[in-house]
Amino acid sequence: MSTSAAAVVFSTTATSSATRRSNPASRVYASLRRSPHSRLVSSSPSPPVCATAASPGGAAAGGTAAAAEARKKLLIFDAEERLAESLAKYTARVSEEAVAARGAFTVALSGGSLIKALRKLVESPYLEAVDWSKWYVFWVDERVVPKDHADSNYKLAMDGLLSKVNCFDFLMPTRLGQSADTMLKWDYCELVPIPASQIYAINDALSADRAADEYETCLKQLVNDGVVAVSEVTGFPKLDLMLLGMGPDGHVASLFPGHPIVNENQKWVSYIKDSPKPPLERITFTFPMLNSSAHIGLVVTGAGKAGAVHKAFSDKQSSSDLLPVEMVSLQEGLITWFTDKPAVSMLSSI
Ligand SMILES: O=C1O[C@H](COP(=O)(O)O)[C@@H](O)[C@H](O)[C@H]1O
């Protein structure tokens, strides 16, 4: 089996045991299979990857740890382009399903490397295929800075993603990938944009605590209006998709290891004023909010994150000292990890 395809494929049917021994990704597969909590979820040689992960411990409220484990999928890509393609396809599919089911798609974005990884979503064919007008966009976390500040997650997403959809009445070429000659023939953008009223930036004129309260109030209004669903399991809002990144220390959103905010279990949105990673002041969705969503896509790349990935995929004896990423545990739905080989390079030693 070739490993130069879209991603390493774990297949019980198409990979010999000799190949598995010599292939690092196959060793990952083997270690996942040895784990009492893991199972192969696809034996097809064609899709990108597929193994459920070893236990992160910490049963989610209302479910067992084993049940939570069954809702995790690990994808490992050998090229960043392939990861970006898969992430675009995944996001477009979740969007399409939500729009078909509810007439709306509620999605929360992180900052950091996620936005670049999402870039293919605003290229053909996804750019034209996605029903952007049904999107309601939130931020998983935000830095308390002006919206035009270099540290703003809003600015990052607008510049790298949303502005490509919301071309409004700017003159734009209607097709991507045209020749230079054709590109000179400008035309009006044909896309139906995301209405500006459906892009929920934080109020950057407020302090962190007040901005968090206001963001939660805004979500409550959208729940009342029926735009945002509610989890029947937790009673918290159930967004259709949370797109997360993870820092090298295992933080997700602005939920940092060892910070008391990781234990917040009442609020939907909270804040910190002592972030270990600059800037100091941030607002963030809490764990109950993250873990009540319908889907989570978690994008983790690079060798700098291998240690946290290793811990997240190790068997746990207790739920103490969990990294924030290990506390991401869906009540319903599937957590899909989009990783590359450097990020999973320590998994074979499990
Ligand atoms: O500070 C943050 O960091 C995390 C991880 O960022 P990455 O660049 O290492 O992917 C990000 O998910 C979060 O939204 C952001 O505020």
Side-chain angles (χ1 to χ4, degrees):
M1 169 174 301
S2 166
T3 56
S4 62
V8 175
V9 176
F10 296 131
S11 167
T12 50
T13 55
T15 310
S16 71
S17 56
T19 306
R20 284 200 298 273
R21 275 195 299 278
S22 62
N23 177 342
S26 294
R27 291 200 302 275
V28 174
Y29 162 81
S31 66
L32 288 171
R33 283 190 50 114
R34 278 198 302 276
S35 162
H37 297 289
S38 66
R39 68 182 172 85
L40 188 70
V41 295
S42 171
S43 61
S44 162
S46 51
V49 162
C50 289
T52 51
S55 172
T64 65
E69 283 324 294
R71 294 191 285 270
K72 294 176 76 174
K73 182 160 80 168
L74 174 65
L75 305 180
I76 306 168
F77 296 89
D78 55 10
E80 196 276 339
E81 283 286 301
R82 301 298 193 176
L83 185 155
E85 179 68 31
S86 179
L87 182 64
K89 193 171 182 179
Y90 165 83
T91 306
R93 180 181 56 78
V94 177
S95 164
E96 187 180 350
E97 288 172 1
V99 171
R102 304 194 308 107
F105 175 56
T106 52
V107 57
L109 304 173
S110 297
S113 55
L114 170 81
I115 299 301
K116 183 171 173 239
L118 269 175
R119 70 188 179 281
K120 287 187 181 287
L121 187 63
V122 287
E123 293 175 9
S124 227
Y126 307 107
L127 181 63
E128 299 88 353
V130 167
D131 188 349
W132 300 103
S133 69
K134 303 294 193 306
W135 275 45
Y136 292 77
V137 181
F138 305 89
W139 272 266
V140 167
D141 72 320
E142 179 58 288
R143 291 87 178 272
V144 184
V145 293
K147 285 189 199 60
D148 58 358
H149 192 282
D151 285 335
S152 163
N153 284 344
Y154 168 87
K155 175 175 166 50
L156 185 70
M158 287 306 288
D159 291 352
L161 197 72
L162 303 176
S163 65
K164 323 271 185 201
V165 181
N166 280 21
C167 46
F168 298 112
D169 54 356
F170 292 115
L171 294 172
M172 294 271 288
T174 52
R175 297 273 183 278
L176 300 172
Q178 292 173 324
S179 69
D181 283 345
T182 317
M183 289 285 279
L184 292 174
K185 183 176 165 294
W186 293 85
D187 201 349
Y188 285 99
C189 173
E190 291 174 345
L191 299 169
V192 177
I194 307 172
S197 61
Q198 292 172 203
I199 297 179
Y200 295 90
I202 70 162
N203 185 340
D204 59 358
L206 299 178
S207 60
D209 50 338
R210 290 182 58 208
D213 282 350
E214 190 182 274
Y215 211 68
E216 183 167 317
T217 302
C218 167
L219 281 164
K220 284 184 172 146
Q221 186 60 51
L222 291 166
V223 166
N224 287 340
D225 294 347
V227 171
V228 171
V230 175
S231 164
E232 288 179 12
V233 180
T234 65
F236 279 74
K238 181 178 180 178
L239 296 194
D240 296 309
L241 177 62
M242 302 261 188
L243 289 168
L244 302 181
M246 182 196 81
D249 59 356
H251 83 267
V252 292
S254 286
L255 301 162
F256 289 91
H259 195 286
I261 198 171
V262 301
N263 299 317
E264 173 60 56
N265 60 13
Q266 300 296 318
K267 287 184 167 297
W268 302 359
V269 186
S270 192
Y271 68 94
I272 57 174
K273 293 192 169 184
D274 54 356
S275 168
K277 175 180 174 182
L280 285 174
E281 300 199 7
R282 294 152 171 257
I283 79 164
T284 181
F285 282 174
T286 59
F287 273 115
M289 181 79 194
L290 295 184
N291 290 343
S292 298
S293 54
H295 302 270
I296 287 180
L298 179 51
V299 179
V300 180
T301 58
K305 298 176 179 176
V309 172
H310 176 256
K311 187 165 186 306
F313 282 81
S314 301
D315 287 338
K316 304 292 182 298
Q317 305 306 319
S318 79
S319 60
S320 62
D321 295 332
L322 290 178
L323 293 176
V325 72
E326 297 173 273
M327 299 171 71
V328 178
S329 177
L330 277 187
Q331 307 292 312
E332 308 158 273
L334 190 67
I335 303 172
T336 305
W337 287 65
F338 295 82
T339 68
D340 62 3
K341 288 184 174 177
V344 299
S345 57
M346 291 173 69
L347 284 190
S348 57
S349 63
I350 291 173

